Amino acid sequence: MSDEDHGLDRGLTNYGDRDFARFLRRSFARSMGISTGLLNRPVIGIAMTPSGFNNCHRLMPELVDAVCRGVLAAGALPLPFPTISLGEVFLNPTSMMYRNLMAMDTEEMILAQPMDAVVLIGGCDKTVPAQLMGAASANLPAIQLVTGPMSTGRHRGQRLGACTDCRGFWAKYRAGEIDRREIDSAEGQLSVTAGTCAVMGTASTMACIAEALGMSLPGTAAIPAVNSARLVAAEETGRAAVGLLTTKITPSQVITEQSVENAFRVLMAIGGSTNAVIHLTAIAGRLGIRVSRERLNQISDETPVLVDLKPVGEGYMEDFHAAGGVGAVLRELRPLLHLDTIDIEGRTLAERLEAPLDWVDRTVIRPFGDPVSPVGGLIALAGTLAPDGAIFKRAAATPGLFETEGRAVVFTGLEDLARRIDDPELDVKPGDVLVLQNAGPHAAGMPEAGYLPIPKKLARAGIKDMVRISDARMSGTAFGTIVLHVAPEAAIGGPLAAVRNGDRIRLSVARKRIDLLVEDAEIRRRLADFSPPPAPARGYKALYRRSVTQAPEGCDFDFLAGK
Ligand code: FES
């Protein structure tokens, strides 16, 4: 491709006759009914992700229209194109398994098709990380737009939002506190509009991270999906994409070690999802950027939780938007941020934060000096049970369980868990530690199974929380004293595979440790018998098993990570 190639002339198919390739492409393009004047303009690709299996993207068509409006008004040709879409609750075994597939789809379609810059429109949990991973690798000028969060519903006077309240209601139902009629009635009030989950779950966390990184326009992360301001943001995003044709700013200039650290600070301050640690690690990893466990913990210890939203606190994303959104959080964190990072429009963070906000709702976004919690929401643990690390969301855990030593009650996999957790004969008591094995990336694609249910007989006795440990993930909307992402996972012979019923396990949040209190020699003896679960024989699942990395590397494919 020559330097002058732009728009539809980019990346012509090579038939050995360049002029013929151009002629052929343009003659087919004419069939789209677009005037030749427009066909000669620079092209802005729009990676769109509508799907009948993705409720969170229901308003994608009007977002695409609004982006097109902005692109046209700024003088370029918008060409939307589909990629796969991942609707969190419709994918089996887990959406996580398909994040890398979507990232590959996004990267390859950006590079294979003739576009000068791209707008990425995602929202539901895995879609924004997948798009940012793909865009980082493609490194064409790119800008992220999110679909925005749902608005809340009402049930018997109570305000509800997916999906922290889904879990709260289900826990009450399991404990016998509400009946079938009430749970059925609540079911219709939890997700009442288009958009992503209404709390600071993974989707909202990733939207905030995209804005903190500088990959989306300031002030756009939290606008509710149904608010007209979201369409204006989409139009502005289209205009900004055309601006990229002049500045030629690429993702690798925006996603830097410094902006990734800023994003980790925001993750801590918003009490964001544990999944975001994996996703941000994978995005950064595409550009060869690594943030160590020690640095993550340093950032966490220095950064207070400022945002009072579920699942950590009380509010919903619509409150966060009305309160001032990511801009207000960034202004509070200012002394801790790298202010010389640039956003996709070329502004430094210092310039972005120069103008004060008119008003901030301090019940939702607290001042730095009066935080929800003086330390960050997430920490990395390590110890004999997780030599390569684990993640713990202290902001959503029970402080009384932070220093726990208990007896292990082990489930060897998801089926074993489903079969026995509510068995009245299960040998479990309050103070025990529930352990789930074989739910990591290799074994099961790392589903959100780390929020093990409290055994029914204990739930009915009033037990609300227990220490739970696994190599799985947890929904960003969930809460509890839960150790996740244990690495190495059980299915590749990590010490988690060696845990047996009755072993003692010690969690120390103060020391950031998770230990199996069994002699090393005994752990080695038990692991000598270890054999990995059988690998899928064909297709994407076989590729996944062969190539997926562990959580501390972002669960990306080893052949996609940057150097
Ligand atoms: Fe799509 Fe929660 S299900 S964001």
Side-chain angles (χ1 to χ4, degrees):
M1 187 176 71
S2 77
D3 281 350
E4 306 87 64
D5 283 342
H6 72 270
L8 292 181
D9 287 351
R10 289 175 69 101
L12 289 168
T13 317
N14 188 357
Y15 305 111
D17 180 345
R18 191 175 180 284
D19 289 339
F20 173 68
R22 185 169 185 272
F23 166 73
L24 191 73
R25 178 176 287 174
R26 290 180 67 83
S27 63
F28 276 86
R30 294 286 285 273
S31 77
M32 296 194 283
I34 300 171
S35 66
T36 47
L38 258 184
L39 286 178
N40 290 335
R41 299 267 174 88
V43 172
I44 305 297
I46 302 170
M48 58 174 187
T49 50
S51 165
F53 293 101
N54 194 340
N55 58 293
C56 304
H57 294 193
R58 177 159 64 80
L59 298 182
M60 184 68 57
E62 43 176 56
L63 284 175
V64 172
D65 283 352
V67 173
C68 288
R69 240 178 6 245
V71 172
L72 284 167
L77 171 62
L79 290 180
F81 63 96
T83 69
I84 60 167
S85 184
L86 306 176
E88 184 63 23
V89 298
F90 296 100
L91 286 155
N92 182 287
T94 162
S95 64
M96 184 63 187
M97 185 174 270
Y98 300 101
R99 183 202 63 181
N100 295 351
L101 182 64
M102 182 171 172
M104 289 171 79
D105 185 357
T106 305
E107 174 185 346
E108 297 300 331
M109 288 303 101
I110 290 173
L111 291 176
Q113 301 174 125
M115 64 191 80
D116 300 287
V118 62
V119 176
L120 311 152
I121 316 182
C124 195
D125 288 18
K126 307 303 178 294
T127 59
V128 170
Q131 290 182 324
L132 288 175
M133 289 161 72
S137 294
N139 209 27
L140 191 79
I143 183 164
Q144 181 78 53
L145 174 70
V146 297
T147 58
M150 290 180 200
S151 302
T152 52
R154 293 282 188 284
H155 168 75
R156 300 188 183 174
Q158 185 188 342
R159 197 172 166 216
L160 299 185
C163 213
T164 302
D165 296 323
C166 318
R167 295 172 204 287
F169 267 86
W170 195 252
K172 280 187 193 168
Y173 178 62
R174 279 177 64 79
E177 292 169 27
I178 61 173
D179 62 14
R180 187 79 229 177
R181 258 182 69 197
E182 182 163 2
I183 194 85
D184 285 347
S185 143
E187 181 188 281
Q189 299 306 321
L190 287 157
S191 307
V192 293
T193 74
T196 50
C197 285
V199 298
M200 191 56 84
T202 304
S204 297
T205 304
M206 290 311 302
C208 295
I209 281 178
E211 187 176 326
L213 282 171
M215 285 299 295
S216 44
L217 291 183
T220 59
I223 304 168
V226 296
N227 190 317
S228 59
R230 178 142 300 285
L231 295 178
V232 176
E235 190 181 305
E236 287 302 324
T237 301
R239 280 181 193 273
V242 180
L244 289 172
L245 303 176
T246 310
T247 61
K248 303 208 182 316
I249 293 172
T250 58
S252 64
Q253 293 168 268
V254 176
I255 304 172
T256 60
E257 193 174 335
Q258 287 72 28
S259 71
V260 168
E261 287 203 355
N262 287 346
F264 270 115
R265 293 242 182 241
V266 167
L267 168 61
M268 299 302 169
I270 60 180
S273 161
T274 47
N275 289 322
V277 178
I278 296 182
H279 298 322
L280 186 51
T281 299
I283 295 163
R286 289 299 181 99
L287 296 167
I289 300 163
R290 308 262 179 272
V291 175
S292 69
R293 194 163 61 227
E294 293 71 27
R295 183 68 182 136
L296 179 78
N297 281 336
Q298 188 186 3
I299 288 172
S300 182
D301 286 344
E302 294 168 351
T303 312
V305 178
L306 300 175
V307 175
D308 191 4
L309 290 195
K310 289 175 187 254
V312 171
E314 284 309 313
Y316 296 86
M317 282 304 288
E318 59 196 8
D319 306 320
F320 181 57
H321 171 60
V326 174
V329 175
L330 287 170
R331 281 168 174 81
E332 290 304 317
L333 294 179
R334 211 185 143 101
L336 297 176
L337 298 174
H338 300 286
L339 295 170
D340 51 353
T341 55
I342 59 163
D343 69 9
I344 205 65
E345 293 189 295
R347 268 178 310 237
T348 64
L349 186 54
E351 287 164 349
R352 252 165 86 189
L353 303 182
E354 229 159 53
L357 294 180
D358 292 345
W359 181 76
V360 176
D361 182 346
R362 293 300 181 191
T363 61
V364 178
I365 301 172
R366 305 272 278 271
F368 193 89
D370 180 25
V372 175
S373 151
V375 289
L378 306 172
I379 53 169
L381 307 174
T384 56
L385 188 53
D388 292 344
I391 289 291
F392 182 76
K393 188 169 183 176
R394 57 183 165 187
T398 305
L401 294 174
F402 278 10
E403 307 298 317
T404 292
E405 187 190 314
R407 186 184 69 134
V409 177
V410 181
F411 301 91
T412 57
L414 295 164
E415 283 171 17
D416 185 38
L417 175 71
R419 198 170 55 243
R420 294 193 299 121
I421 188 76
D422 288 335
D423 183 344
E425 302 302 315
L426 182 69
D427 179 14
V428 66
K429 53 186 182 356
D432 285 347
V433 174
L434 304 181
V435 176
L436 172 64
Q437 300 165 324
N438 296 310
H442 277 246
M446 211 177 182
E448 291 185 338
Y451 178 74
L452 279 73
I454 303 293
K456 211 173 237 173
K457 67 180 182 186
L458 297 186
R460 295 216 152 139
I463 301 298
K464 301 271 188 245
D465 196 7
M466 298 173 76
V467 176
R468 291 161 267 179
I469 301 173
S470 73
D471 44 14
R473 296 176 302 114
M474 167 173 92
S475 165
T477 63
F479 46 87
T481 308
I482 299 177
V483 178
L484 301 155
H485 311 178
V486 167
E489 66 174 294
I492 61 168
L496 185 67
V499 186
R500 302 287 181 265
N501 282 323
D503 286 347
R504 306 292 294 177
I505 290 178
R506 186 186 298 140
L507 166 68
S508 172
V509 175
R511 294 172 56 230
K512 300 187 172 73
R513 287 199 62 92
I514 184 72
D515 288 298
L516 175 59
L517 306 181
V518 172
E519 293 292 325
D520 281 358
E522 173 60 13
I523 293 176
R524 278 199 301 277
R525 191 191 66 71
R526 292 178 189 176
L527 291 176
D529 293 339
F530 168 80
S531 59
R538 62 173 294 281
Y540 177 73
K541 288 190 173 113
L543 172 71
Y544 192 89
R545 173 71 75 85
R546 256 199 320 271
S547 308
V548 71
T549 59
Q550 294 288 286
E553 287 85 49
C555 298
D556 201 358
F557 287 156
D558 50 13
F559 59 87
L560 293 174
K563 296 279 177 285

